[in-house]
Amino acid sequence: MNKTRMLFLCLITVLSVVITASGCSFHKKSAQSEIYTYSDETLEQLLAATYQEGTFIFEGLPWLISKQEVIDKQKLIQSDDDDWLIVEGTFPLNASIKQTVIYNFQDDQLVSGEYRFATSDNNHFAQWGKELGVLLSKWLPKPRTENIEILDQADISAQQGNNLLWQGVDRSSMKVSLSVTGQEDYLLLMHVASPLPEREGLKK
């Protein structure tokens, strides 16, 4: 009787250890996944606001609208500078990535915009760049410069100052630049510009 009871208690103890270890392993993997993996939905939100029907746009807005129209449509706060609006990014990325969105104006017309993503975590930056590269290759045609595979090693490409350039059917464009800042942050900059003929034709 005592022998049977001891065997039963030993079995319960072993099972408890196995279940606890499995739980820790699961939570550890889940935490790593949360830190370094982004769903396609998150990055597709970014691309949907940037590329439509073969042309590049910014924040889903038409080019050459006035600064006040941008403020009204995006519900932004007026700034003292006539040439740009700077706001914090809102894409649901990991908190360690600092996001900045910049609207650039010329003669009170929206002519370009920038998404800036910065982090001091090189591993995080490398993983994010790799996932962005996969999605860009699905959404966009081949870039005019470099190879999209530079995003497979985004941290190394940032140290080398590499960049990619796409041009839309209307000559709008997007340039993705990788660099390391003076504060040793890894920076990915997406600069989206209005069609060249329209920009050259702006009237003063």
Side-chain angles (χ1 to χ4, degrees):
M1 184 74 176
N2 288 337
K3 187 175 181 180
T4 301
R5 186 178 177 186
M6 286 182 64
L7 287 172
F8 178 75
L9 289 173
C10 288
L11 180 61
I12 291 297
T13 302
V14 170
L15 286 173
S16 298
V17 171
V18 171
I19 291 171
T20 301
S22 298
C24 290
S25 177
F26 173 78
H27 287 301
K28 184 177 180 181
K29 288 179 180 177
S30 296
Q32 289 177 340
S33 177
E34 182 181 349
I35 292 173
Y36 293 118
T37 304
Y38 308 95
S39 66
D40 282 355
E41 257 181 47
T42 297
L43 297 177
E44 281 176 358
Q45 287 180 48
L46 175 63
L47 293 178
T50 307
Y51 187 72
Q52 292 180 6
E53 299 179 352
T55 65
F56 290 97
I57 56 176
F58 188 68
E59 287 288 275
L61 298 170
W63 293 117
L64 307 183
I65 62 175
S66 70
K67 183 180 178 184
Q68 189 58 53
E69 286 179 285
V70 172
I71 291 172
D72 293 342
K73 288 176 181 291
Q74 303 298 90
K75 296 179 172 56
L76 304 177
I77 298 174
Q78 181 65 266
S79 69
D80 295 332
D81 197 295
D82 293 334
D83 294 333
W84 61 71
L85 287 167
I86 302 176
V87 297
E88 290 186 6
T90 57
F91 291 105
L93 303 177
N94 183 275
S96 73
I97 292 185
K98 181 182 178 182
Q99 305 174 54
T100 307
V101 179
I102 303 174
Y103 302 81
N104 296 313
F105 300 90
Q106 180 179 330
D107 299 326
D108 195 33
Q109 294 179 316
L110 178 65
V111 295
S112 68
E114 297 176 5
Y115 298 106
R116 296 188 177 205
F117 304 97
T119 180
S120 58
D121 187 333
N122 66 310
N123 291 325
H124 192 174
F125 187 80
Q127 181 63 30
W128 186 65
K130 185 177 295 186
E131 294 181 24
L132 180 61
V134 170
L135 207 56
L136 285 173
S137 66
K138 292 179 181 178
W139 273 67
L140 305 181
K142 288 184 179 180
R144 295 169 63 91
T145 59
E146 296 286 356
N147 190 312
I148 202 165
E149 290 178 359
I150 67 170
L151 291 173
D152 288 345
Q153 295 180 308
D155 54 334
I156 296 175
S157 296
Q159 293 169 8
Q160 298 172 347
N162 291 337
N163 58 73
L164 298 162
L165 177 66
W166 288 266
Q167 190 172 83
V169 294
D170 61 347
R171 297 192 69 195
S172 57
S173 63
M174 182 175 77
K175 183 178 181 180
V176 173
S177 303
L178 301 159
S179 62
V180 180
T181 70
Q183 289 74 39
E184 297 187 353
D185 283 339
Y186 288 83
L187 175 68
L188 187 146
L189 170 64
M190 298 175 65
H191 180 86
V192 189
S194 63
L196 289 173
E198 291 188 24
R199 294 185 67 193
E200 292 168 357
L202 289 174
K203 302 293 184 181
K204 289 189 177 181

